[in-house]
Amino acid sequence: MSATTVAERELTALDRCDRCGAQAYVRAILATSGGELLFCGHHAREVESKLRPQTSEWQDETSKLHEKPSFAAVD
């Protein structure tokens, strides 16, 4: 079994911002403890300059905010 880092998992609609409860698009893995913080795009931008230097990983999926949903064709 291979080791998998937390950030290798794609964020889903079930992942919620630790600040406001909105859908999370950014995961910050703290370098000192390995703890995980989740943020919506708004709150990630708000804390990024202070928090990012303290992280071992900064998983940013905010580009998904601009994706158009795809729908399966119904026969």
Side-chain angles (χ1 to χ4, degrees):
M1 186 167 134
S2 66
T4 302
T5 65
V6 175
E8 289 178 8
R9 180 182 66 81
E10 200 171 296
L11 294 168
T12 70
L14 298 176
D15 294 304
R16 310 312 287 180
C17 176
D18 291 330
R19 285 262 178 103
C20 68
Q23 184 172 346
Y25 288 93
V26 174
R27 174 184 288 124
I29 307 297
L30 300 174
T32 54
S33 67
E36 166 184 284
L37 296 172
L38 300 174
F39 297 103
C40 64
H42 166 80
H43 285 115
R45 284 189 304 276
E46 193 175 84
V47 301
E48 183 174 11
S49 64
K50 288 187 180 184
L51 184 61
R52 193 166 187 167
Q54 300 173 46
T55 64
S56 60
E57 296 182 54
W58 184 268
Q59 179 181 354
D60 186 341
E61 296 183 9
T62 54
S63 62
K64 290 181 178 180
L65 289 165
H66 304 291
E67 289 180 357
K68 299 220 185 291
S70 60
F71 297 97
V74 178
D75 292 329

